[in-house]
Amino acid sequence: DIQMTQSPSSLSASVGDRVTITCQASQDISNYLNWYQEKPGKAPKLLIYDASNLERGVPSRFSGSGYGTDFTFTISSLQPEDIATYFCQQYEDLPLTFGPGTKVGIK
Amino acid sequence: QVQLVQSGAEVKKPGASVKVSCKASGYTFTSNGITWVRQAPGQGLEWMGWISANNGNTDYGQKFQGRVTMTTDTSTTTAYMELRSLTFDDTAVYYCARIRAAIWGLDVWGQGTTVTVSS
């Protein structure tokens, strides 16, 4: 199975700050990576697909980049409504595997 | 609108089975696969498997082989996941999600079904 790791596991930032999360795959997954947002008590929401493509309706302050084994997710200007856990998911091979998540809070 | 609505919370005893339903609406059911993912308390997401709503083909995660069955009913646009021989470790929130082909993106999720295994 392809293992996904993320860092940091949690962070706190001020409104307006740039926030960056990294995701690393245990083997080359090309750009077969998606990013999700999960808020407490809610189902996850797809934000970014194919490592860098913004899902329709998702604010442009969210972005993704990377290829191979190393990927980055960025919130360019953190907003209060962005408080959530963010996780990556690879689909280079089954089983689908997910990163453990990064919990983003407001300072 | 496109949505997946899951059945309600369940409490089961060890050794029992649970069957969770996932009713799809707002799109052509047979155009997308459905996957099942679970999240145990304080843990990350764990993929259980997926089913093609078009032809019923399935692929289960190795951990769940022999213990899980995923089915669909195209007449009611409902997907089902049955998990047998439950243990305390199966206590989790179970999600169904629609698979967007080509990107294996889970673009529509059910609200989640809490399954509690308790003696």
Side-chain angles (χ1 to χ4, degrees):
Chain A
D1 297 2
I2 298 173
Q3 306 301 317
M4 307 300 294
T5 56
Q6 279 182 243
S7 62
S9 57
S10 65
L11 65 89
S12 289
S14 299
V15 172
D17 281 355
R18 183 181 185 87
V19 168
T20 299
I21 298 167
T22 62
C23 173
Q24 188 167 56
S26 61
Q27 65 186 68
D28 190 336
I29 60 169
S30 183
N31 67 330
Y32 300 149
L33 184 100
N34 302 320
W35 287 96
Y36 298 83
Q37 175 192 67
E38 185 179 21
K39 295 184 177 181
K42 298 282 188 72
K45 175 184 176 182
L46 178 65
L47 298 181
I48 303 279
Y49 63 93
D50 285 350
S52 61
N53 293 300
L54 197 65
E55 178 73 349
R56 186 184 305 179
V58 172
S60 58
R61 64 180 180 274
F62 296 101
S63 65
S65 64
Y67 191 91
T69 61
D70 296 299
F71 301 86
T72 300
F73 173 82
T74 301
I75 308 173
S76 60
S77 177
L78 185 67
Q79 300 302 304
E81 60 267 31
D82 299 337
I83 302 313
T85 297
Y86 295 85
F87 57 91
C88 54
Q89 170 239 322
Q90 67 79 24
Y91 63 98
E92 199 283 330
D93 196 11
L94 294 181
L96 300 183
T97 48
F98 300 86
T102 296
K103 191 171 184 178
V104 174
I106 295 285
K107 222 181 257 185
Chain B
Q1 75 278 25
V2 177
Q3 61 177 353
L4 300 174
V5 178
Q6 298 182 223
S7 48
E10 303 263 14
V11 179
K12 297 292 183 180
K13 293 194 182 301
S17 299
V18 68
K19 190 170 186 176
V20 180
S21 68
C22 172
K23 165 76 174 172
S25 61
Y27 72 98
T28 302
F29 183 64
T30 52
S31 295
N32 298 79
I34 294 286
T35 195
W36 291 86
V37 174
R38 73 179 187 180
Q39 187 168 37
Q43 303 298 309
L45 292 166
E46 182 175 35
W47 184 75
M48 300 180 69
W50 79 284
I51 181 167
S52 167
N54 181 46
N55 58 22
N57 287 348
T58 56
D59 194 339
Y60 302 140
Q62 191 170 14
K63 177 177 178 177
F64 301 98
Q65 290 274 1
R67 207 161 67 91
V68 71
T69 301
M70 296 176 188
T71 56
T72 57
D73 182 340
T74 55
S75 67
T76 61
T77 66
T78 302
Y80 298 92
M81 186 282 298
E82 181 180 33
L83 189 62
R84 300 177 292 278
S85 302
L86 293 169
T87 71
F88 298 122
D89 289 344
D90 293 315
T91 293
V93 177
Y94 289 76
Y95 292 101
C96 63
R98 187 180 79 165
I99 300 168
R100 184 183 302 169
I103 67 162
W104 275 89
L106 311 184
D107 65 350
V108 181
W109 293 64
Q111 82 275 22
T113 296
T114 299
V115 175
T116 303
V117 182
S118 172
S119 55

